[in-house]
Amino acid sequence: MNRSKAILASIGLAKSLLSTRFSSTRPLYTRVTHLSSFTLSNESHTSHFHSNTQKLFFSSSPSSILDLILVYDWSHGLEIKLNELNTELTHETVIYVLKKLNKDPEKASAFFNWVCDKNGFRPSSSVYSLILRILVSKDSLKQFWITMRKVNEENVYIDDETYLSILGVLKKANKASDVAALNQFHDRMVKENAVNGIVKNVVDVILGSDWDDKVEKELEEMKIELSDDLVIKILKELRAYPLKALRFFHWIGECSGYEHNSITYNAMLRVLARCDSVGEFWIVVEKMKNVGHAVDIDAYMKISRQFKKYRMMEDAVKLFEHMMDGPYKPSVQDCSLLLRSISSRDNPDLDLVFRVAKKYEASGNFLSKAVYDGIHRSLTNVGRFDEAEKIMQVMKNAGYEPDNITYSQVVFGLCKARRFEEACNLLDEMEEKGCIPDMKTWTILIQGHCAANEVDKALLCFAKMMEKNYDADADLLDVLINGFLSQKRVIGAHKLLVEMVEKARLRPWQATFKNLIEKLLEVRKLEEAMDLLRLMKKQNYPPFPEPFIQYISKFGSVEDASEFLKALSVKEYPSSAAYLHVFESFFNEGRHSEAKDLLYKCPHHIRKNSKISELFGSAK
């Protein structure tokens, strides 16, 4: 079947699946007027944003160490320029530069070697962890192993988080020899590192009882030789007990003669960034500021993610503001991610949105398209379309024309507000303005209908999309299938998936197949589920036997089991393990006679399999 016929067939199927019909006298689409009839007001939240198309460029004489490194290729001349700056190369500065160079392993390695070999900088385990994560790429593996040799020579301990991250990258790149070498290195490091025993003893004492004079005495008697890396490891082991970690942190700073620095302060902050210790977190931040230390950019990014994970958005914004006031400012990407996190909540706090935008702008930055999108997304998510329209106008004045992202956010908000006709009509308005809706926009429109349990209207949108010559993708099909399933229209979901595979040549996600198979078996539709199992095989997906075996062993016949086993493998017969699994399931359900009948239908090599023979022998 050619493509045009496939599209027509899919449209026909979509319309045939509708359980309700809309009156022909009622227009489905009506013109949206409210999104284009407003002008900016001085009363609006948006009035303080600049409409400026000015771009930022490096000056001809960059003054900061980062600007120099970004502008020039690495050379002896660049090193002279860097030395002339006479910049203090603190832990925070090195972390900041490395984070900015994380997409340029060659330059990151050159900077790291320069700062260590020629400037006497002694990297902590956290700095080593960062540079190793940057260097573990196919183009810089040589430098990665040179740096690993330094780690070994200096007896630096690389934590499990970094080890597993690096291991995952190497495995994904199919670097078997490097994986083996890394595992060997890690095993030797764990075995030889005496710090582990010390850390365990310290942690056991601290967790053994409430903090008191006895605990402090026991710690004193251990005569621990403190180092930054040792303190970091102890704090990490105490991360589930942030207040005890803080007592230890204070104790070593007050009583042992050990002086905290930026490295240990940042480690302490990562432990305290939780709901039950956030008050103490801000006290330590203030203390750091008073003694001249700063939150490093790597710690900021990890803590910010932690705050978002625990839905502590007020603290995430406060930390962003703190960083923007300091020397190690978050990037525009960090700003955009924060805005996205705020706007993704069911009821975004718009005050937090505007605090982020104002602080970013007040620091001398011009708002990017991504930042405007974050503000716009928050407004549309709560149905404040008037203000969203004003933000769009400000974006235009700043040189950013609304695109599919911008309009998709409005579509999402309109669907959430159940203003479906306006959402549909907006796609027509986009075309009139020369912004052709993409698949993401159509998917959001259809998903919005499905989320509101308006699956029939979603199908009409789908039919309209197909009529406009768009090709559905696996993402959209999954949305429609889930819409059908939410209304318990399992057979309709099955018909749609089969039609889209066979007529439109679409390849569904493996998860879509699995989900629908399970739902079909729940309503005793074995034949339809088997159809999907065969389709999965044609799509080169791995077999999905578990729900079938569970179903057939309880409700199926011997013929069902035989057909299932045939459908399971691309070869003539599936593995003996598959047969064994089916037999065991029949036995577990007490259906011994069915198991024996199935055995008689099996090929000779299966009947003679030692494990299967043993299974039937034990059942006699």
Side-chain angles (χ1 to χ4, degrees):
M1 180 179 290
N2 62 34
R3 186 178 179 281
S4 61
K5 289 182 179 179
I7 292 172
L8 289 173
S10 299
I11 295 169
L13 174 69
K15 291 180 177 177
S16 71
L17 290 170
L18 294 175
S19 62
T20 59
R21 291 289 185 268
F22 298 99
S23 169
S24 60
T25 61
R26 178 188 174 196
L28 177 62
Y29 307 108
T30 57
R31 180 118 186 110
V32 177
T33 59
H34 74 283
L35 286 179
S36 57
S37 60
F38 293 94
T39 56
L40 288 175
S41 164
N42 290 332
E43 302 296 322
S44 169
H45 277 300
T46 63
S47 61
H48 64 276
F49 295 117
H50 296 313
S51 302
N52 198 318
T53 58
Q54 180 179 349
K55 304 294 182 183
L56 292 178
F57 297 95
F58 290 117
S59 65
S60 57
S61 301
S63 59
S64 74
I65 184 171
L66 180 61
D67 287 348
L68 278 170
I69 293 172
L70 291 175
V71 168
Y72 297 107
D73 292 336
W74 199 274
S75 64
H76 179 65
L78 173 58
E79 292 181 5
I80 293 174
K81 290 179 183 293
L82 292 172
N83 287 327
E84 288 173 352
L85 288 177
N86 201 27
T87 304
E88 184 182 3
L89 295 169
T90 63
H91 165 82
E92 302 98 307
T93 301
V94 172
I95 288 278
Y96 185 72
V97 173
L98 288 175
K99 287 296 285 186
K100 296 296 183 180
L101 297 175
N102 67 341
K103 302 298 184 186
D104 190 344
E106 184 178 347
K107 193 170 280 190
S109 178
F111 168 73
F112 179 77
N113 292 332
W114 172 76
V115 79
C116 295
D117 299 342
K118 298 185 180 180
N119 286 273
F121 178 80
R122 185 175 180 182
S124 65
S125 60
S126 55
V127 174
Y128 268 120
S129 294
L130 178 55
I131 187 62
L132 288 172
R133 291 199 301 268
I134 293 171
L135 294 178
V136 64
S137 68
K138 63 179 182 179
D139 296 326
S140 54
L141 275 178
K142 181 179 179 181
Q143 285 301 319
F144 170 83
W145 285 113
I146 291 173
T147 307
M148 284 293 282
R149 191 157 57 245
K150 289 183 180 179
V151 168
N152 187 50
E153 291 169 356
E154 297 179 18
N155 292 317
V156 176
Y157 188 87
I158 301 301
D159 60 36
D160 287 342
E161 181 183 357
T162 302
Y163 159 67
L164 292 174
S165 174
I166 293 170
L167 184 66
V169 173
L170 293 174
K171 284 183 175 179
K172 188 175 181 180
N174 294 318
K175 299 288 185 181
S177 59
D178 292 292
V179 167
L182 179 67
N183 285 332
Q184 186 179 20
F185 168 85
H186 182 260
D187 292 344
R188 186 174 66 250
M189 179 187 68
V190 171
K191 184 178 179 180
E192 295 177 356
N193 198 288
V195 167
N196 289 335
I198 298 172
V199 170
K200 184 180 183 306
N201 293 337
V202 171
V203 170
D204 286 345
V205 169
I206 294 171
L207 297 183
S209 63
D210 292 336
W211 191 279
D212 55 17
D213 292 342
K214 181 183 176 183
V215 170
E216 293 183 1
K217 185 178 179 182
E218 286 187 56
L219 292 175
E220 287 173 357
E221 290 173 350
M222 294 173 72
K223 299 188 182 304
I224 310 163
E225 187 176 341
L226 292 168
S227 67
D228 296 344
D229 286 347
L230 178 62
V231 173
I232 291 172
K233 280 186 64 65
I234 293 171
L235 292 176
K236 186 169 289 188
E237 291 300 313
L238 292 171
R239 60 188 176 276
Y241 309 90
L243 298 184
K244 286 196 171 188
L246 185 60
R247 290 297 300 268
F248 168 75
F249 181 84
H250 285 322
W251 176 75
I252 59 174
E254 294 168 357
C255 304
S256 68
Y258 177 81
E259 185 176 351
H260 284 299
N261 54 37
S262 176
I263 298 168
T264 54
Y265 268 115
N266 276 282
M268 187 69 253
L269 289 181
R270 289 186 61 185
V271 174
L272 293 174
R274 296 162 45 123
C275 297
D276 54 351
S277 54
V278 71
E280 289 78 7
F281 172 89
W282 289 112
I283 291 172
V284 173
V285 169
E286 190 62 28
K287 172 70 173 176
M288 286 178 69
K289 184 178 177 181
N290 292 339
V291 297
H293 297 305
V295 181
D296 72 54
I297 196 67
D298 190 47
Y300 163 74
M301 294 172 72
K302 291 172 179 173
I303 292 168
S304 184
R305 284 198 296 268
Q306 218 164 305
F307 282 152
K308 294 168 194 173
K309 175 183 175 181
Y310 295 128
R311 303 180 72 82
M312 300 166 64
M313 300 313 302
E314 170 76 33
D315 293 289
V317 171
K318 186 177 177 182
L319 182 60
F320 175 82
E321 292 171 326
H322 173 83
M323 295 297 291
M324 292 303 293
D325 287 335
Y328 308 107
K329 294 177 175 27
S331 67
V332 64
Q333 290 82 10
D334 298 322
C335 178
S336 299
L337 285 173
L338 181 54
L339 288 172
R340 182 178 289 274
S341 296
I342 299 170
S343 64
S344 65
R345 303 186 70 177
D346 291 337
N347 293 297
D349 187 334
L350 293 178
D351 286 339
L352 295 181
V353 170
F354 289 109
R355 275 174 58 184
V356 171
K358 284 180 179 179
K359 177 56 72 172
Y360 186 76
E361 192 178 34
S363 299
N365 300 295
F366 292 99
L367 300 184
S368 68
K369 171 69 164 53
V371 174
Y372 279 121
D373 280 336
I375 302 166
H376 182 258
R377 186 184 300 110
S378 300
L379 292 167
T380 55
N381 198 20
V382 294
R384 290 169 67 165
F385 300 106
D386 296 351
E387 291 175 76
E389 174 66 12
K390 293 170 184 176
I391 282 290
M392 287 174 68
Q393 186 59 51
V394 174
M395 288 171 62
K396 287 181 182 180
N397 295 340
Y400 304 116
E401 283 297 319
D403 56 14
N404 269 286
I405 294 173
T406 315
Y407 284 113
S408 293
Q409 291 173 177
V410 181
V411 170
F412 175 84
L414 288 170
C415 288
K416 186 177 178 182
R418 301 186 67 85
R419 292 159 66 167
F420 300 115
E421 293 184 1
E422 296 168 82
C424 292
N425 195 37
L426 186 58
L427 272 70
D428 294 331
E429 185 177 311
M430 288 174 64
E431 290 191 14
E432 291 174 9
K433 293 182 177 181
C435 182
I436 306 301
D438 59 13
M439 273 306 301
K440 183 66 175 176
T441 306
W442 280 104
T443 301
I444 288 172
L445 175 67
I446 292 168
Q447 187 172 30
H449 282 79
C450 290
N453 210 29
E454 297 285 354
V455 178
D456 292 332
K457 290 182 180 179
L459 281 170
L460 285 178
C461 295
F462 174 63
K464 182 178 179 180
M465 183 200 84
M466 298 294 284
E467 286 171 347
K468 288 180 174 288
N469 220 27
Y470 285 90
D471 288 324
D473 60 12
D475 191 8
L476 177 55
L477 180 60
D478 190 65
V479 166
L480 284 168
I481 294 298
N482 286 328
F484 273 96
L485 296 180
S486 69
Q487 294 188 338
K488 302 190 183 304
R489 294 160 64 178
V490 183
I491 297 303
H494 170 261
K495 288 180 179 178
L496 177 62
L497 187 144
V498 172
E499 186 83 8
M500 295 304 295
V501 171
E502 294 183 348
K503 304 294 173 59
R505 300 291 184 262
L506 190 149
R507 188 174 190 263
W509 288 344
Q510 184 182 7
T512 306
F513 274 119
K514 288 183 173 183
N515 186 29
L516 185 49
I517 284 172
E518 289 175 341
K519 297 300 180 183
L520 284 165
L521 292 177
E522 284 178 11
V523 295
R524 305 286 186 91
K525 296 295 180 181
L526 177 61
E527 184 178 343
E528 289 81 357
M530 293 278 280
D531 287 342
L532 297 190
L533 184 64
R534 295 183 186 99
L535 278 179
M536 286 185 74
K537 185 165 65 173
K538 289 180 181 178
Q539 301 281 348
N540 294 320
Y541 283 124
F544 183 46
E546 290 80 7
F548 287 97
I549 294 174
Q550 294 170 13
Y551 176 89
I552 291 171
S553 64
K554 289 183 179 181
F555 310 113
S557 65
V558 174
E559 289 72 22
D560 292 333
S562 182
E563 285 299 311
F564 161 68
L565 287 164
K566 288 179 184 177
L568 195 59
S569 176
V570 294
K571 302 176 183 178
E572 187 176 359
Y573 299 107
S575 67
S576 58
Y579 280 96
L580 180 62
H581 197 176
V582 173
F583 289 134
E584 288 174 338
S585 295
F586 270 127
F587 277 118
N588 290 338
E589 294 295 328
R591 301 179 69 186
H592 296 77
S593 61
E594 285 86 350
K596 290 179 181 178
D597 289 344
L598 178 62
L599 181 65
Y600 296 141
K601 289 178 174 286
C602 290
H604 182 266
H605 75 280
I606 295 297
R607 295 198 300 271
K608 294 300 182 181
N609 179 271
S610 59
K611 290 185 178 179
I612 291 175
S613 298
E614 182 182 345
L615 175 66
F616 279 89
S618 64
K620 291 179 181 178

